[in-house]
């Protein structure tokens, strides 16, 4: 979790405690003018708590009944296959996406027009060798809760509209898709309801995507539009299956979640790979900082939900709709249930040797889905109330007793200062931190650069922190 002043989890040796207590707080320069400026910067700054009672209240407001109702409605469309009927008012993906659009409009009406709701679509060309054989209009639904002070900075929350059975090309069979991924769409609708009662600083985009099962095409379309419109995307959280608590291995558990966090993009330049090989950073990509942020929010607001960070793009050999945004350089992760039941994924509805197959309503734990939705909402609002991360962080300290970090200020208003983090390479999360005031240059005294990883986050006047920026 994020803590004020110097902090860490677990036990601390007396020698390390003395070293940290005795550490000089700022780099000392050689000229009186700089000395005076640093003395002024060193004055104590009250640090507001990052724990916000409004977020606690929002978490407790996530409605199990609304989520169950939304999932049941989506299942009621029979199939939501990307190539299914688009004209019917009761069946197929056309009816499903129009209902989602209408739900966003209903939410917006309740908050005096706070959501900007629209379709984002593109004719996707057919490919005889692909999962779309003929041209199809891939339609996504986007609802934007516009930021108060930074409207062009975006936090993006996505889920998939479409469903499938065993044959990915079967567009007519019953394909309820209760967990995969009506649960994800229900989560973004409920998160939109919860956040619509607040005014974030950054914009939050709630995005229902199509054609995930056909090749992540809906995400590609929205990511391309976001780039063309100049969205400055801080984070993308993709919800794909957030309602199942019974695993194929027999485990039944409702207190864990997984976040799949990718590492280096495939197009990482050779020079950057060489730098990372020498200095580290493959475990500290923006997507992995986002995963740590989600884990921190869970620790802060959910006493019975543990987030497991998995250093991988997605499940082994599989994919999700965060990938197109990751490929464009955004911090993007997949948030999902901890345990999967493969008899309920991508299956024809049937009973075989006593086993019931199919993604049906009975496989959804609605209370768990509500808890996962509340985690979404708490993370989205924390990020949207927080400043943007500081830019261009660098670090020096080779063959020195201390590590010196420098960074450019966060572009966000209302920044009261920065928090420097460090952790051992064997630790997943940031375990030590210090609020250093409104400076852009800080030395962590008597902490050897070779033995730790470091980062820096911006702190807003409301106590919310940005994701951690990893120095180059």
């Amino acid at each position: 979790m994020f803590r004020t002043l110097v902090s860490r989890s677990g036990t601390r040796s007396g020698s390390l405690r003395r070293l940290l207590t005795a550490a000089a707080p700022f780099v000392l320069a050689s000229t009186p003018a700089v000395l005076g400026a640093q003395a002024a910067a060193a004055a104590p700054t009250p640090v507001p708590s990052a724990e916000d009672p409004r977020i606690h209240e929002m978490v407790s407001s996530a409605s199990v009944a609304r989520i169950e109702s939304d999932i049941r409605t989506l299942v009621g469309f029979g199939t939501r296959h990307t190539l299914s009927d688009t004209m019917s008012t009761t069946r197929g993906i056309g009816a499903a996406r129009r209902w989602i659009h209408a739900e966003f409009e209903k939410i917006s009406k309740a908050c005096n027009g706070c959501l900007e709701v629209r379709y984002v679509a593109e004719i996707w060309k057919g490919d005889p060798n692909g999962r779309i054989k003929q041209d199809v209009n891939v339609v996504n639904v986007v609802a934007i809760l516009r930021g108060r002070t930074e409207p062009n900075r975006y936090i993006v929350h996505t889920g998939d509209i479409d469903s499938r059975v065993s044959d990915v090309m079967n567009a007519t069979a019953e394909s309820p898709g209760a967990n995969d991924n009506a649960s994800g769409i229900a989560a973004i609708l409920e998160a939109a309801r919860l956040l619509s009662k607040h005014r974030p600083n950054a914009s939050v985009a709630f995005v229902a995507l199509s054609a995930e099962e056909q090749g992540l095409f809906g995400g590609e379309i929205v990511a391309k539009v976001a780039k063309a419109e100049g969205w400055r995307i801080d984070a993308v959280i993709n919800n794909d299956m957030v309602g199942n608590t019974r695993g194929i291995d027999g485990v039944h558990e409702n207190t864990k979640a997984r976040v799949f966090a990718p590492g280096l993009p495939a197009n990482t330049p050779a020079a950057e790979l060489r730098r990372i090989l020498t200095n580290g950073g493959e475990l500290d990509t923006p997507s992995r900082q986002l995963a740590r942020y989600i884990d921190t929010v869970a620790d802060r607001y959910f006493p019975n939900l543990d987030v497991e960070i998995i250093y991988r793009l997605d499940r082994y050999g599989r994919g999700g709709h965060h990938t197109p945004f990751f490929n464009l350089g955004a911090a993007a992760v997949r948030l999902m249930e901890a345990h999967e039941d493969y008899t309920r994924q991508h299956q024809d509805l049937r009973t075989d040797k006593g086993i019931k197959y199919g993604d049906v309503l009975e496989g959804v734990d609605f209370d768990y889905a509500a808890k996962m939705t509340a985690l979404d909402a708490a993370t989205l609002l924390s990020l949207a109330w927080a400043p943007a991360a500081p830019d261009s962080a660098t670090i020096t300290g080779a063959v020195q007793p201390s590590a010196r970090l420098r960074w450019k200020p966060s572009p966000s208003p209302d920044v009261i200062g920065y928090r420097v983090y460090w952790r051992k390479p064997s630790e997943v999360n940031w375990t030590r931190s210090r609020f250093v005031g409104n400076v852009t240059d800080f030395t962590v005294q008597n902490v050897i650069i070779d033995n730790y990883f470091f980062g820096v986050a911006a702190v807003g006047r409301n106590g919310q922190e940005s994701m951690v920026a990893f120095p180059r």
Side-chain angles (χ1 to χ4, degrees):
M1 293 179 64
F2 299 162
R3 296 181 173 89
T4 57
L5 304 180
V6 179
S7 62
R8 61 160 294 173
S9 60
T11 61
R12 177 187 297 150
S13 68
S15 59
L16 179 57
R17 185 186 297 110
R18 288 191 295 274
L19 284 173
L20 292 174
T21 303
F26 296 97
V27 180
L28 294 181
S30 58
T31 65
V34 176
L35 279 170
Q38 292 202 341
T45 301
V47 187
S49 172
E51 186 172 358
D52 194 311
R54 294 172 296 177
I55 295 180
H56 275 297
E57 181 181 359
M58 183 179 66
V59 164
S60 66
S61 299
S63 171
V64 178
R66 285 194 298 259
I67 289 169
E68 178 176 353
S69 176
D70 289 345
I71 293 174
R72 288 185 178 278
T73 298
L74 288 160
V75 167
F77 292 114
T79 178
R80 303 186 306 279
H81 192 283
T82 298
L83 306 179
S84 63
D85 193 325
T86 62
M87 302 303 293
S88 170
T89 59
T90 58
R91 183 177 178 85
I93 194 167
R97 67 198 182 208
R98 287 189 293 273
W99 175 80
I100 294 167
H101 189 284
E103 283 300 299
F104 279 133
E105 291 281 15
K106 188 186 301 181
I107 296 167
S108 185
K109 183 177 180 180
C111 60
N112 297 316
C114 70
L115 295 181
E116 303 166 17
V117 185
R118 61 170 167 153
Y119 294 111
V120 174
E122 180 180 318
I123 301 297
W124 201 268
K125 295 296 182 181
D127 179 357
N129 300 314
R131 291 185 173 185
I132 292 182
K133 304 295 185 185
Q134 58 192 28
D135 295 359
V136 64
N137 192 21
V138 175
V139 182
N140 311 282
V141 188
V142 177
I144 297 174
L145 178 61
R146 187 64 63 184
R148 181 177 56 85
T149 59
E150 296 179 273
N152 202 44
R153 181 164 69 91
Y154 284 82
I155 317 299
V156 181
H157 189 205
T158 66
D160 309 318
I161 304 173
D162 54 314
S163 63
R164 59 164 286 190
V165 291
S166 300
D167 179 2
V168 70
M169 300 305 297
N170 188 337
T172 58
E174 289 296 309
S175 180
N179 188 46
D180 183 14
N181 188 34
S183 66
I185 292 296
I188 67 170
L189 286 170
E190 182 65 4
R193 294 184 189 105
L194 295 172
L195 266 71
S196 69
K197 299 179 178 7
H198 301 277
R199 288 299 310 275
N201 296 334
S203 295
V204 181
F206 304 94
V207 185
L209 297 167
S210 295
E212 189 263 353
E213 302 291 1
Q214 308 311 116
L216 310 178
F217 300 139
E220 286 191 36
I221 292 166
V222 173
K224 183 169 62 177
V225 169
K227 182 178 180 180
E229 294 181 356
W231 294 18
R232 185 159 55 89
I233 298 177
D234 270 10
V236 178
I237 302 173
N238 178 46
N239 275 196
D240 196 342
M241 296 188 294
V242 294
N244 179 67
T245 53
R246 292 184 181 271
I248 193 71
D249 54 1
V251 175
H252 183 201
E253 184 177 47
N254 64 358
T255 61
K256 288 188 178 179
R258 290 180 294 176
V259 176
F260 285 87
L264 301 174
N267 61 353
T268 303
E272 178 68 2
L273 291 174
R274 288 192 294 270
R275 186 196 67 78
I276 290 173
L277 178 64
T278 302
N279 299 336
E282 66 275 13
L283 298 181
D284 285 273
T285 61
S287 295
R288 289 173 176 172
Q289 303 302 350
L290 174 56
R292 293 186 179 105
Y293 196 99
I294 295 171
D295 194 4
T296 298
V297 170
D299 288 344
R300 182 177 296 142
Y301 296 106
F302 297 83
N304 64 342
L305 183 61
D306 181 49
V307 170
E308 182 178 12
I309 298 172
I310 299 179
Y311 295 140
R312 186 179 285 150
L313 176 64
D314 209 304
R315 285 86 39 82
Y316 191 80
R318 304 179 73 179
H321 243 146
H322 58 300
T323 303
F325 298 93
F326 170 71
N327 288 340
L328 282 182
V333 299
R334 175 183 183 140
L335 174 66
M336 68 177 301
E337 62 211 21
H339 303 284
E340 295 179 68
D341 185 348
Y342 307 125
T343 66
R344 298 186 182 277
Q345 294 178 17
H346 302 175
Q347 297 287 346
D348 292 335
L349 301 180
R350 69 192 191 279
T351 300
D352 186 4
K353 297 178 181 179
I355 299 174
K356 292 184 178 181
Y357 290 84
D359 189 359
V360 295
L361 284 165
E362 290 74 19
V364 179
D365 183 330
F366 300 111
D367 290 282
Y368 178 74
K371 187 190 301 185
M372 295 286 277
T373 300
L375 175 59
D376 284 321
T379 304
L380 294 168
L381 194 53
S382 295
L383 285 166
W385 271 341
D391 191 19
S392 303
T394 61
I395 190 167
T396 56
V399 299
Q400 299 292 324
S402 306
R404 181 180 184 181
L405 289 92
R406 284 176 272 194
W407 57 90
K408 290 182 181 179
S410 167
S412 300
D414 295 330
V415 173
I416 63 166
Y418 299 87
R419 183 178 296 280
V420 168
Y421 285 92
W422 62 103
R423 73 178 198 277
K424 290 184 176 180
S426 60
E427 295 171 327
V428 174
N429 286 313
W430 298 105
T431 52
R432 301 154 177 83
S433 72
R434 181 168 183 172
F435 180 75
V436 300
N438 199 7
V439 298
T440 57
D441 189 332
F442 182 79
T443 293
V444 186
Q445 297 285 354
N446 300 313
V447 179
I448 303 295
I449 192 173
D450 299 330
N451 300 337
Y452 292 87
F453 292 139
F454 299 82
V456 60
V459 182
R461 294 188 185 280
N462 56 7
Q464 300 301 320
E465 294 188 16
S466 71
M467 290 189 294
V468 174
F470 189 77
R472 293 172 56 88

